[in-house]
Amino acid sequence: MPEHLKTRVEDCFQQAESFFKRPFKRPVVSLKLRGQKAGVAHLHENMLRFNPQLYRENTEDFLKQTVAHEVAHLIAHQLFGDRIQPHGEEWQLIMRGVYELPPNRCHTYDVKRRSVTRYIYKCPCADSDFPFSAQRHGLVRQGRRYLCRRCRSTLVFSGEMRVE
C-alpha cells in the first residue's frame, strides 16, 4: 500500500473528526480494484478499494479528489445510515463542507479499455449481426439458445469474430 494513499485516507478522517467533533471508525484500505472505477467504498464492510493503475497515472488528483470522494461515502454512511442517496445532499455536504472540494460524481481519468472479442451470430433476417460476448458464446456452446426478436429463429454462430 503506497504510503501517500494511507496518509491521505487518515488525513480525510481526521478532517471529518475535527469538523463533526466525533470519532469515525477507520476502514480497511485495499488496492484491489481494476477497470474503469477509480475507487469504491463498501459501506457495510467499512472498506475502501482503489484502482492502483489510475492511482499511478493520476496521483495528484487521485489523492486530492478520489480519496476524499470515497472517504466521504463512509463518513456519510456512519453519520446518516443506509437511507441516503450515494451522491445525495449528505455526501455533497461532506465534500463541500469538510473537504472543500467539488462534489464530482465521476472522475475524468483516461481509462485504457482492453480489447474485447465479439462472436458474430446470425439469423435468416437481412442484415442480422448479433455480436455475442465470450460469456454468452460459452453459454450457447453449453446448449443455451437465443432467438431473433423479429423472426423468432435460433441465432447461429457464423464462425466470424471481431475485436473491438
Side-chain angles (χ1 to χ4, degrees):
M1 176 71 56
E3 202 56 40
H4 287 90
L5 190 63
K6 284 194 324 195
T7 301
R8 176 63 174 147
V9 169
E10 181 58 29
D11 289 348
C12 286
F13 271 92
Q14 288 179 8
Q15 274 183 270
E17 288 174 338
S18 175
F19 187 89
F20 290 109
K21 308 278 190 270
R22 63 158 279 192
F24 292 99
K25 187 176 179 206
R26 299 304 193 264
V28 172
V29 180
S30 143
L31 277 173
K32 293 184 177 168
L33 184 63
R34 297 184 349 207
Q36 296 181 15
K37 292 182 180 178
V40 175
H42 297 278
L43 305 178
H44 298 287
E45 294 87 4
N46 198 33
M47 174 189 272
L48 296 174
R49 289 191 310 143
F50 294 106
N51 185 318
Q53 178 156 0
L54 293 180
Y55 170 68
R56 278 191 304 274
E57 293 171 358
N58 309 279
T59 304
E60 188 177 329
D61 187 70
F62 197 100
L63 288 171
K64 182 179 177 183
Q65 184 75 28
T66 301
V67 172
H69 176 119
E70 299 307 332
V71 170
H73 283 300
L74 294 181
I75 299 296
H77 182 258
Q78 289 183 39
L79 283 171
F80 305 107
D82 285 336
R83 297 187 180 270
I84 60 171
Q85 292 295 311
H87 297 105
E89 61 186 84
E90 299 87 354
W91 175 82
Q92 291 180 34
L93 161 102
I94 295 165
M95 287 298 289
R96 284 193 187 105
V98 177
Y99 303 123
E100 297 176 352
L101 291 170
N104 299 333
R105 286 187 58 237
C106 302
H107 68 77
T108 55
Y109 306 141
D110 185 29
V111 178
K112 293 169 185 65
R113 292 178 166 266
R114 60 189 170 106
S115 58
V116 179
T117 301
R118 297 291 179 198
Y119 299 83
I120 308 304
Y121 281 71
K122 296 194 179 276
C123 75
C125 298
D127 299 323
S128 71
D129 258 19
F130 297 89
F132 279 23
S133 66
Q135 184 176 8
R136 184 168 279 190
H137 178 65
L139 291 171
V140 171
R141 295 181 70 183
Q142 292 173 14
R144 177 151 322 158
R145 292 176 5 148
Y146 291 91
L147 304 178
C148 172
R149 288 186 177 166
R150 279 183 276 167
C151 70
R152 308 297 296 160
S153 296
T154 299
L155 299 178
V156 179
F157 180 50
S158 67
E160 297 173 45
M161 295 182 289
R162 74 171 171 246
V163 177
E164 297 176 343

